Amino acid sequence: MAIFVEGVHKRYGDKSALSGLDLEVTRGTVHAVLGPNGAGKTTAVRIMTTLLRHDEGVVRVAGHDVRKDPAAVRARIGLLGQHAALDEELSGRQNLELFGRLHHLGARRAGLRADALLDRFGLADTGRKPVKQYSGGMRRRLDLAASLITEPEVLFLDEPTTGLDPRGRAEVWSAVRSLVGGGTTVLLTTQYLEEADQLADRIALIDAGRVAAEGTADELKSRVGPDRIVVVLRDAARLAQAAALLPDPTVDPDSLTLGFPVEDRMAGLALTLRALEGAGIEAADLSVRRPTLDEVFLHLTDRTNTTEVAA
Ligand SMILES: Nc1ncnc2c1ncn2[C@@H]1O[C@H](COP(=O)(O)OP(=O)(O)O)[C@@H](O)[C@H]1O
Ligand SMILES: [Mg+2]
């Protein structure tokens, strides 16, 4: 287990930021901590990276307890914070070399490592330009490179794409993907459902300082409800006939669309095709629709709120 968090509480004065956070991250996986602003993501990351002390609970990172042995933890992790410390006047390469020197790499190794990382994140061409000329996506990739100087076992990325345009976001996503092949464990926080869906092996959905749901994107989606078969007809006149052939579908006459839930998507598709074909009804489109993570999020956070009100 690369990260083990159990029953962690953190208060700022009388305000509770984390209230019983649990988290387990397997070595070599990408784990997303997904939650809205104020959910406690940065607080959790600061605790796991030894920058902040928790009030209660157990936190082990890369095999070491953050309280008992913070130095051992620090030696094995990298952190990309929400605000990174790059020197604007220096080139990307110089920034990386500087980070390397700060981590006692020695001039030669720091230089080699800088070049390797620039290359890896598609910054080889721009590596000699001053950072102030970089786009948002380039900066963030440079941040990422800097956090990897020490070849960490566990890398923490706190909202790595917040504030980036779609292109910058895509650049950072591909950079994160390239890390995973190398065996690094990544914990990333995000407010973007799509980001968690794209990058993470598992997702912990957090709300008000604790985990509301945890699992793969597919598992979380299946908690909202089953897949739906959606079929669009060509001819409005056949709508009622088609509806009678399918298992209790919803019907939208304006878009000529019928939909119904299925446990087994292949069986659902086959049933629909057979029914329509048998009756000689033409379909313009036939698809399976899965619930989106957005729907999962609304569903689960709503339920959490309801339980709290009820309790
Ligand atoms: N230094 C602080 N002092 C007081 N309250 C804080 C401090 N940092 C965070 N908080 C509060 O703790 C909660 C969690 O914050 P944070 O961990 O930054 O959430 P996130 O990163 O998910 O947006 C929020 O309600 C926030 O206002
Ligand atoms: Mg934050």
Side-chain angles (χ1 to χ4, degrees):
M1 208 54 67
I3 301 175
F4 178 81
V5 172
E6 192 176 59
V8 166
H9 289 254
K10 175 68 191 176
R11 276 170 294 275
Y12 296 107
D14 55 9
K15 156 124 195 82
S16 189
L18 297 179
S19 46
L21 186 76
D22 300 318
L23 207 57
E24 285 186 24
V25 180
T26 309
R27 235 172 256 279
T29 63
V30 180
H31 206 101
V33 172
L34 171 67
N37 228 332
K41 301 182 295 298
T42 297
T43 300
V45 167
R46 288 175 58 79
I47 289 169
M48 291 184 277
T49 54
T50 77
L51 298 172
L52 186 68
R53 279 179 75 89
H54 51 291
D55 302 323
E56 244 177 84
V58 180
V59 180
R60 277 199 301 275
V61 174
H64 297 272
D65 188 294
V66 296
R67 273 228 186 105
K68 292 179 193 138
D69 206 350
V73 171
R74 264 179 238 138
R76 288 167 176 80
I77 63 170
L79 168 64
L80 175 71
Q82 267 172 290
H83 309 283
L86 294 170
D87 188 319
E88 296 282 315
E89 303 298 327
L90 297 181
S91 73
R93 189 174 188 282
Q94 287 169 322
N95 267 288
L96 293 184
E97 270 188 293
L98 193 64
F99 276 107
R101 300 299 297 274
L102 286 173
H103 288 98
H104 316 293
L105 277 192
R108 214 182 94 76
R109 274 194 67 206
L112 288 173
R113 188 100 184 102
D115 287 331
L117 286 166
L118 290 170
D119 204 40
R120 182 164 175 188
F121 293 123
L123 294 167
D125 294 341
T126 38
R128 310 236 169 219
K129 290 189 183 152
V131 166
K132 62 184 174 200
Q133 294 176 14
Y134 282 25
S135 70
M138 284 164 64
R139 265 164 208 264
R140 210 57 65 84
R141 279 181 286 152
L142 187 61
D143 290 339
L144 204 51
S147 66
L148 288 168
I149 281 280
T150 56
E151 303 184 59
E153 282 173 44
V154 185
L155 180 64
F156 293 88
L157 308 173
D158 193 10
E159 299 202 20
T161 65
T162 293
L164 293 183
D165 59 20
R167 184 188 163 151
R169 187 168 299 164
E171 289 172 0
V172 170
W173 284 1
S174 92
V176 171
R177 285 201 190 96
S178 81
L179 286 178
V180 184
T184 316
T185 305
V186 179
L187 182 139
L188 74 96
T189 74
T190 182
Q191 298 185 40
Y192 303 116
L193 299 139
E194 192 195 356
E195 184 157 295
D197 202 1
Q198 286 281 328
L199 295 179
D201 299 303
R202 297 186 75 81
I203 300 169
L205 209 108
I206 76 165
D207 190 39
R210 90 166 80 98
V211 175
E214 203 269 348
T216 64
D218 277 349
E219 284 166 1
L220 294 182
K221 285 172 187 171
S222 71
R223 289 181 60 166
V224 181
D227 296 349
R228 290 179 70 76
I229 302 291
V230 177
V231 54
V232 183
L233 299 190
R234 287 199 190 282
D235 184 358
R238 314 295 300 271
L239 207 56
Q241 191 190 355
L245 293 169
L246 299 174
D248 196 19
T250 56
V251 181
D252 177 11
D254 294 332
S255 61
L256 307 185
T257 302
L258 302 120
F260 61 94
V262 281
E263 286 307 324
D264 177 341
R265 49 164 76 192
M266 293 315 289
L269 285 169
L271 177 149
T272 307
L273 278 174
R274 257 198 322 273
L276 297 182
E277 245 172 47
I281 301 172
E282 262 193 287
D285 191 50
L286 174 62
S287 58
V288 181
R289 206 184 76 78
R290 308 220 61 198
T292 64
L293 268 181
D294 280 286
E295 290 165 325
V296 177
F297 192 79
L298 287 173
H299 178 75
L300 291 172
T301 50
D302 267 344
R303 202 182 56 190
T304 310
N305 291 342
T306 321
T307 351
E308 270 172 11
V309 172

